[in-house]
Short mmCIF file of all heavy atoms in Angstrom, two decimals:
data_model
loop_
_atom_site.label_atom_id
_atom_site.label_comp_id
_atom_site.label_asym_id
_atom_site.label_seq_id
_atom_site.Cartn_x
_atom_site.Cartn_y
_atom_site.Cartn_z
N MET A 120 0.82 -1.20 0.00
CA MET A 120 0.00 0.00 0.00
C MET A 120 0.86 1.25 0.00
O MET A 120 0.48 2.27 -0.58
CB MET A 120 -0.94 -0.01 1.20
CG MET A 120 -1.84 -1.23 1.26
SD MET A 120 -3.15 -1.10 2.49
CE MET A 120 -4.22 0.11 1.76
N THR A 121 2.01 1.20 0.68
CA THR A 121 2.97 2.30 0.64
C THR A 121 4.37 1.71 0.52
O THR A 121 4.64 0.60 1.02
CB THR A 121 2.91 3.20 1.90
OG1 THR A 121 3.25 2.42 3.06
CG2 THR A 121 1.54 3.81 2.07
N ARG A 122 5.29 2.49 -0.11
CA ARG A 122 6.69 2.06 -0.26
C ARG A 122 7.57 3.25 0.11
O ARG A 122 7.47 4.31 -0.50
CB ARG A 122 6.97 1.58 -1.68
CG ARG A 122 5.99 0.55 -2.18
CD ARG A 122 6.38 0.00 -3.54
NE ARG A 122 7.36 -1.07 -3.42
CZ ARG A 122 7.90 -1.69 -4.47
NH1 ARG A 122 7.59 -1.33 -5.70
NH2 ARG A 122 8.79 -2.66 -4.28
N TRP A 123 8.44 3.05 1.12
CA TRP A 123 9.25 4.13 1.67
C TRP A 123 10.74 3.86 1.46
O TRP A 123 11.20 2.74 1.64
CB TRP A 123 8.99 4.26 3.18
CG TRP A 123 7.55 4.49 3.54
CD1 TRP A 123 6.57 3.55 3.66
CD2 TRP A 123 6.93 5.75 3.83
NE1 TRP A 123 5.38 4.14 4.02
CE2 TRP A 123 5.57 5.50 4.13
CE3 TRP A 123 7.39 7.07 3.87
CZ2 TRP A 123 4.67 6.50 4.47
CZ3 TRP A 123 6.50 8.07 4.21
CH2 TRP A 123 5.16 7.79 4.51
N ARG A 124 11.47 4.93 1.13
CA ARG A 124 12.93 4.85 1.01
C ARG A 124 13.54 5.85 1.99
O ARG A 124 13.22 7.04 1.95
CB ARG A 124 13.37 5.15 -0.42
CG ARG A 124 14.86 4.95 -0.67
CD ARG A 124 15.16 4.88 -2.15
NE ARG A 124 14.57 5.99 -2.87
CZ ARG A 124 13.98 5.90 -4.06
NH1 ARG A 124 13.89 4.72 -4.68
NH2 ARG A 124 13.48 6.96 -4.67
N ILE A 125 14.43 5.36 2.86
CA ILE A 125 14.95 6.17 3.97
C ILE A 125 16.47 6.31 3.85
O ILE A 125 17.18 5.31 3.65
CB ILE A 125 14.62 5.53 5.33
CG1 ILE A 125 13.13 5.14 5.40
CG2 ILE A 125 14.99 6.47 6.46
CD1 ILE A 125 12.17 6.29 5.24
N GLY A 126 16.96 7.54 3.97
CA GLY A 126 18.40 7.78 3.94
C GLY A 126 18.79 8.84 4.94
O GLY A 126 17.97 9.63 5.42
N CYS A 127 20.06 8.87 5.29
CA CYS A 127 20.58 9.85 6.24
C CYS A 127 20.92 11.16 5.54
O CYS A 127 21.39 11.16 4.40
CB CYS A 127 21.84 9.32 6.92
SG CYS A 127 21.56 7.90 7.99
N VAL A 128 20.68 12.27 6.21
CA VAL A 128 21.12 13.58 5.75
C VAL A 128 21.84 14.26 6.91
O VAL A 128 21.77 13.82 8.06
CB VAL A 128 19.95 14.46 5.25
CG1 VAL A 128 19.29 13.84 4.03
CG2 VAL A 128 18.92 14.66 6.35
N GLU A 129 22.51 15.36 6.63
CA GLU A 129 23.29 16.06 7.64
C GLU A 129 22.38 16.62 8.71
O GLU A 129 21.35 17.24 8.43
CB GLU A 129 24.10 17.18 6.99
CG GLU A 129 25.03 17.91 7.95
CD GLU A 129 25.85 18.97 7.25
OE1 GLU A 129 25.75 19.07 6.01
OE2 GLU A 129 26.56 19.71 7.95
N SER A 130 22.75 16.41 9.97
CA SER A 130 21.96 16.93 11.08
C SER A 130 22.21 18.42 11.25
O SER A 130 23.17 18.98 10.70
CB SER A 130 22.30 16.20 12.38
OG SER A 130 23.66 16.39 12.71
N ALA A 131 21.33 19.06 12.01
CA ALA A 131 21.45 20.51 12.22
C ALA A 131 22.67 20.83 13.06
O ALA A 131 23.05 20.07 13.97
CB ALA A 131 20.19 21.03 12.91
N ARG A 132 23.31 21.95 12.77
CA ARG A 132 24.45 22.40 13.57
C ARG A 132 23.97 22.93 14.92
O ARG A 132 22.95 23.60 15.00
CB ARG A 132 25.23 23.48 12.83
CG ARG A 132 25.91 22.98 11.57
CD ARG A 132 26.76 24.07 10.92
NE ARG A 132 27.43 23.58 9.75
CZ ARG A 132 28.62 22.97 9.77
NH1 ARG A 132 29.24 22.79 10.92
NH2 ARG A 132 29.18 22.54 8.66
N LEU A 133 24.71 22.62 15.95
CA LEU A 133 24.38 23.10 17.29
C LEU A 133 25.21 24.33 17.63
O LEU A 133 26.32 24.51 17.09
CB LEU A 133 24.65 21.99 18.32
CG LEU A 133 23.81 20.71 18.18
CD1 LEU A 133 24.26 19.68 19.21
CD2 LEU A 133 22.34 21.00 18.34
N PRO A 134 24.72 25.18 18.53
CA PRO A 134 25.49 26.37 18.91
C PRO A 134 26.70 26.03 19.79
O PRO A 134 27.44 26.92 20.19
CB PRO A 134 24.47 27.22 19.68
CG PRO A 134 23.48 26.24 20.19
CD PRO A 134 23.39 25.16 19.15
N HIS A 135 26.86 24.75 20.10
CA HIS A 135 27.99 24.31 20.92
C HIS A 135 28.49 22.99 20.35
O HIS A 135 27.86 22.39 19.48
CB HIS A 135 27.55 24.14 22.38
CG HIS A 135 26.30 23.35 22.54
ND1 HIS A 135 26.25 21.97 22.45
CD2 HIS A 135 25.00 23.75 22.73
CE1 HIS A 135 25.01 21.55 22.60
NE2 HIS A 135 24.23 22.61 22.78
N ALA A 136 29.61 22.53 20.83
CA ALA A 136 30.17 21.28 20.33
C ALA A 136 29.26 20.11 20.66
O ALA A 136 28.79 19.97 21.79
CB ALA A 136 31.55 21.06 20.94
N GLY A 137 28.99 19.29 19.67
CA GLY A 137 28.13 18.14 19.89
C GLY A 137 27.41 17.74 18.62
O GLY A 137 27.57 18.37 17.57
N VAL A 138 26.64 16.68 18.71
CA VAL A 138 25.92 16.14 17.56
C VAL A 138 24.43 16.41 17.72
O VAL A 138 23.85 16.11 18.76
CB VAL A 138 26.16 14.62 17.42
CG1 VAL A 138 25.39 14.06 16.23
CG2 VAL A 138 27.64 14.33 17.27
N GLY A 139 23.81 16.99 16.70
CA GLY A 139 22.38 17.28 16.75
C GLY A 139 21.55 16.03 16.51
O GLY A 139 22.07 14.95 16.23
N ARG A 140 20.25 16.18 16.65
CA ARG A 140 19.34 15.05 16.42
C ARG A 140 19.49 14.58 14.97
O ARG A 140 19.49 15.39 14.04
CB ARG A 140 17.91 15.48 16.69
CG ARG A 140 16.88 14.36 16.52
CD ARG A 140 15.52 14.82 16.98
NE ARG A 140 14.47 13.86 16.68
CZ ARG A 140 13.19 14.02 17.01
NH1 ARG A 140 12.82 15.11 17.66
NH2 ARG A 140 12.28 13.10 16.70
N PRO A 141 19.64 13.29 14.75
CA PRO A 141 19.81 12.79 13.37
C PRO A 141 18.63 13.18 12.49
O PRO A 141 17.50 13.32 12.97
CB PRO A 141 19.88 11.27 13.56
CG PRO A 141 20.30 11.07 14.97
CD PRO A 141 19.69 12.20 15.74
N ARG A 142 18.92 13.35 11.21
CA ARG A 142 17.88 13.67 10.24
C ARG A 142 17.88 12.64 9.11
O ARG A 142 18.94 12.12 8.74
CB ARG A 142 18.08 15.08 9.67
CG ARG A 142 17.78 16.18 10.67
CD ARG A 142 17.86 17.55 10.03
NE ARG A 142 17.56 18.60 10.98
CZ ARG A 142 17.53 19.90 10.68
NH1 ARG A 142 17.82 20.29 9.44
NH2 ARG A 142 17.23 20.79 11.60
N TRP A 143 16.69 12.40 8.60
CA TRP A 143 16.55 11.44 7.52
C TRP A 143 15.84 12.08 6.33
O TRP A 143 15.01 12.98 6.49
CB TRP A 143 15.70 10.25 7.97
CG TRP A 143 16.27 9.46 9.10
CD1 TRP A 143 17.58 9.36 9.46
CD2 TRP A 143 15.54 8.65 10.04
NE1 TRP A 143 17.72 8.54 10.55
CE2 TRP A 143 16.49 8.09 10.93
CE3 TRP A 143 14.19 8.34 10.20
CZ2 TRP A 143 16.11 7.24 11.96
CZ3 TRP A 143 13.82 7.50 11.23
CH2 TRP A 143 14.78 6.95 12.10
N SER A 144 16.17 11.59 5.16
CA SER A 144 15.38 11.87 3.97
C SER A 144 14.33 10.77 3.86
O SER A 144 14.66 9.59 3.69
CB SER A 144 16.27 11.88 2.72
OG SER A 144 15.48 11.98 1.55
N VAL A 145 13.07 11.15 4.00
CA VAL A 145 11.96 10.19 3.97
C VAL A 145 11.25 10.34 2.63
O VAL A 145 10.60 11.36 2.38
CB VAL A 145 11.00 10.43 5.15
CG1 VAL A 145 9.80 9.50 5.07
CG2 VAL A 145 11.74 10.25 6.47
N ASP A 146 11.38 9.33 1.80
CA ASP A 146 10.87 9.39 0.43
C ASP A 146 9.77 8.35 0.26
O ASP A 146 10.03 7.14 0.32
CB ASP A 146 12.04 9.10 -0.53
CG ASP A 146 11.65 9.19 -2.00
OD1 ASP A 146 10.54 9.70 -2.29
OD2 ASP A 146 12.44 8.77 -2.85
N LEU A 147 8.54 8.82 0.12
CA LEU A 147 7.43 7.91 -0.19
C LEU A 147 7.45 7.67 -1.70
O LEU A 147 7.01 8.52 -2.48
CB LEU A 147 6.09 8.49 0.25
CG LEU A 147 4.87 7.60 -0.03
CD1 LEU A 147 4.96 6.29 0.72
CD2 LEU A 147 3.58 8.32 0.31
N VAL A 148 7.97 6.54 -2.09
CA VAL A 148 8.18 6.24 -3.51
C VAL A 148 6.85 5.99 -4.22
O VAL A 148 6.66 6.38 -5.38
CB VAL A 148 9.10 5.02 -3.67
CG1 VAL A 148 9.30 4.63 -5.13
CG2 VAL A 148 10.45 5.30 -3.01
N ARG A 149 5.94 5.33 -3.51
CA ARG A 149 4.66 4.97 -4.13
C ARG A 149 3.64 4.76 -3.03
O ARG A 149 3.96 4.26 -1.95
CB ARG A 149 4.80 3.68 -4.97
CG ARG A 149 3.49 3.15 -5.54
CD ARG A 149 3.69 1.82 -6.25
NE ARG A 149 2.42 1.22 -6.63
CZ ARG A 149 1.69 0.45 -5.84
NH1 ARG A 149 2.08 0.19 -4.61
NH2 ARG A 149 0.55 -0.07 -6.26
N GLN A 150 2.41 5.15 -3.30
CA GLN A 150 1.30 4.81 -2.41
C GLN A 150 0.07 4.55 -3.25
O GLN A 150 -0.12 5.13 -4.32
CB GLN A 150 1.03 5.93 -1.40
CG GLN A 150 0.54 7.24 -1.98
CD GLN A 150 0.02 8.18 -0.90
OE1 GLN A 150 -0.66 7.77 0.03
NE2 GLN A 150 0.36 9.46 -1.02
N ARG A 151 -0.76 3.67 -2.75
CA ARG A 151 -2.00 3.34 -3.46
C ARG A 151 -2.98 4.51 -3.32
O ARG A 151 -3.23 4.99 -2.22
CB ARG A 151 -2.60 2.06 -2.86
CG ARG A 151 -3.70 1.44 -3.69
CD ARG A 151 -4.18 0.15 -3.04
NE ARG A 151 -3.12 -0.84 -2.94
CZ ARG A 151 -3.30 -2.04 -2.38
NH1 ARG A 151 -4.47 -2.36 -1.85
NH2 ARG A 151 -2.30 -2.90 -2.33
N ALA A 152 -3.50 4.99 -4.43
CA ALA A 152 -4.48 6.08 -4.46
C ALA A 152 -3.90 7.40 -3.97
O ALA A 152 -4.61 8.23 -3.40
CB ALA A 152 -5.73 5.72 -3.67
N GLY A 153 -2.61 7.61 -4.17
CA GLY A 153 -2.00 8.86 -3.74
C GLY A 153 -0.72 9.14 -4.48
O GLY A 153 -0.24 8.30 -5.26
N ASN A 154 -0.14 10.30 -4.24
CA ASN A 154 1.07 10.72 -4.94
C ASN A 154 2.31 10.51 -4.07
O ASN A 154 2.23 10.55 -2.85
CB ASN A 154 0.97 12.20 -5.31
CG ASN A 154 -0.16 12.47 -6.29
OD1 ASN A 154 -0.39 11.70 -7.21
ND2 ASN A 154 -0.87 13.57 -6.09
N PRO A 155 3.46 10.33 -4.69
CA PRO A 155 4.71 10.24 -3.93
C PRO A 155 5.14 11.62 -3.42
O PRO A 155 4.68 12.65 -3.89
CB PRO A 155 5.71 9.69 -4.95
CG PRO A 155 5.17 10.15 -6.27
CD PRO A 155 3.67 10.15 -6.14
N PHE A 156 6.04 11.62 -2.43
CA PHE A 156 6.60 12.88 -1.93
C PHE A 156 7.89 12.57 -1.17
O PHE A 156 8.18 11.42 -0.83
CB PHE A 156 5.61 13.62 -1.02
CG PHE A 156 5.17 12.86 0.20
CD1 PHE A 156 5.95 12.85 1.36
CD2 PHE A 156 3.98 12.14 0.21
CE1 PHE A 156 5.54 12.17 2.49
CE2 PHE A 156 3.58 11.44 1.34
CZ PHE A 156 4.36 11.46 2.49
N THR A 157 8.66 13.62 -0.93
CA THR A 157 9.92 13.51 -0.19
C THR A 157 9.98 14.61 0.86
O THR A 157 9.65 15.76 0.57
CB THR A 157 11.13 13.63 -1.14
OG1 THR A 157 11.07 12.59 -2.13
CG2 THR A 157 12.43 13.49 -0.36
N LEU A 158 10.39 14.24 2.08
CA LEU A 158 10.53 15.20 3.17
C LEU A 158 11.83 14.94 3.91
O LEU A 158 12.31 13.81 3.98
CB LEU A 158 9.38 15.08 4.16
CG LEU A 158 8.00 15.61 3.74
CD1 LEU A 158 6.96 15.20 4.78
CD2 LEU A 158 8.01 17.11 3.56
N GLU A 159 12.38 16.01 4.48
CA GLU A 159 13.51 15.86 5.40
C GLU A 159 12.95 15.97 6.82
O GLU A 159 12.30 16.95 7.16
CB GLU A 159 14.54 16.95 5.16
CG GLU A 159 15.77 16.82 6.05
CD GLU A 159 16.83 17.86 5.75
OE1 GLU A 159 17.20 17.99 4.55
OE2 GLU A 159 17.27 18.55 6.69
N LEU A 160 13.20 14.94 7.62
CA LEU A 160 12.61 14.87 8.95
C LEU A 160 13.66 14.52 9.99
O LEU A 160 14.69 13.92 9.67
CB LEU A 160 11.50 13.80 8.99
CG LEU A 160 10.29 14.03 8.08
CD1 LEU A 160 9.44 12.77 8.04
CD2 LEU A 160 9.47 15.21 8.56
N GLU A 161 13.38 14.91 11.23
CA GLU A 161 14.23 14.49 12.33
C GLU A 161 13.88 13.06 12.72
O GLU A 161 12.72 12.66 12.69
CB GLU A 161 14.06 15.44 13.51
CG GLU A 161 14.59 16.84 13.22
CD GLU A 161 14.59 17.74 14.45
OE1 GLU A 161 13.84 17.43 15.40
OE2 GLU A 161 15.32 18.74 14.44
N ALA A 162 14.90 12.29 13.08
CA ALA A 162 14.75 10.87 13.34
C ALA A 162 13.83 10.60 14.52
O ALA A 162 13.48 11.49 15.30
CB ALA A 162 16.12 10.25 13.60
N CYS A 163 13.43 9.33 14.66
CA CYS A 163 12.48 8.93 15.71
C CYS A 163 13.00 9.26 17.10
O CYS A 163 14.19 9.10 17.39
CB CYS A 163 12.24 7.42 15.62
SG CYS A 163 11.42 6.87 14.12
#
């Protein structure tokens, strides 16, 4: 019913030394009765 492709993208820079919340490229490749789309989202 849906097909998703997930990849890593660069996380946001922090105002101090450290690693920000991971970010993913969330690509809905196909869905039944709907259109595909791509979003950049923060990880779970």
Side-chain angles (χ1 to χ4, degrees):
M120 303 191 71
T121 62
R122 308 186 83 182
W123 303 82
R124 185 164 51 220
I125 311 300
C127 294
V128 296
E129 184 178 355
S130 62
R132 293 185 179 273
L133 297 176
H135 49 78
V138 179
R140 182 173 172 178
R142 289 185 179 181
W143 298 335
S144 172
V145 176
D146 183 12
L147 180 63
V148 178
R149 174 185 172 274
Q150 65 168 319
R151 193 177 299 178
N154 296 320
F156 60 83
T157 301
L158 287 171
E159 183 177 309
L160 298 169
E161 293 187 339
C163 295

